[in-house]
Amino acid sequence: QVQLVESGGGSVQAGDSLKLSCSPSWGDLFKASTIAWYRQVPGKEREWVAHLPGTDATDYIDDVRGRFIISSDRTGDVVTLQMNRLKPEDTAVYYCNSYPTIYFGWEQGTQVTVSS
């Protein structure tokens, strides 16, 4: 079974930046899928944040538009989420998966904590 590996989270101050990465353990389904980043706060439902190709305003939710950028490397093996001007409300566990249909299992994600 293909596993998606998320990395790059951390604890930062408001206004800082982080760059998250997502890559598959193996296989080509990842490259053939529209990949998105999602986030979840304890007690709330997981929400999608941004999806590829990331070149249109509708590829982002309102809360992150203009601050976050989703992109894929040339090979399609790595999808990143550049997060700028982070806010405390961006604090969550971030996951990657396909969009809008979920093809992969949810892995452990990567924790992003933004303090004011």
Side-chain angles (χ1 to χ4, degrees), residues 3-113:
Q3 290 182 312
L4 301 183
V5 180
E6 302 106 342
S7 63
S11 297
V12 298
Q13 297 289 320
D16 287 348
S17 298
L18 279 174
K19 188 173 185 177
L20 308 182
S21 294
C22 170
S23 59
S25 54
W26 62 278
D28 293 330
L29 180 59
F30 183 84
K31 288 192 282 189
S33 305
T34 297
I35 299 299
W37 282 95
Y38 299 78
R39 66 186 180 187
Q40 187 170 25
V41 176
K44 294 188 176 181
E45 289 190 359
R46 186 179 288 121
E47 64 173 350
W48 75 271
V49 174
H51 65 76
L52 289 176
T55 54
D56 189 85
T58 58
D59 295 343
Y60 301 88
I61 60 171
D62 290 346
D63 287 350
V64 307
R65 189 175 300 121
R67 298 189 297 121
F68 291 10
I69 301 171
I70 185 172
S71 62
S72 175
D73 73 343
R74 183 175 55 83
T75 66
D77 288 325
V78 181
V79 174
T80 60
L81 184 68
Q82 177 67 48
M83 305 188 295
N84 301 316
R85 304 194 305 279
L86 283 160
K87 304 176 181 179
E89 49 265 45
D90 294 320
T91 295
V93 179
Y94 284 72
Y95 305 86
C96 58
N97 213 312
S98 53
Y99 175 91
T101 303
I102 302 302
Y103 293 131
F104 306 98
W106 294 103
E107 304 301 333
Q108 64 181 9
T110 186
Q111 176 72 47
V112 172
T113 303

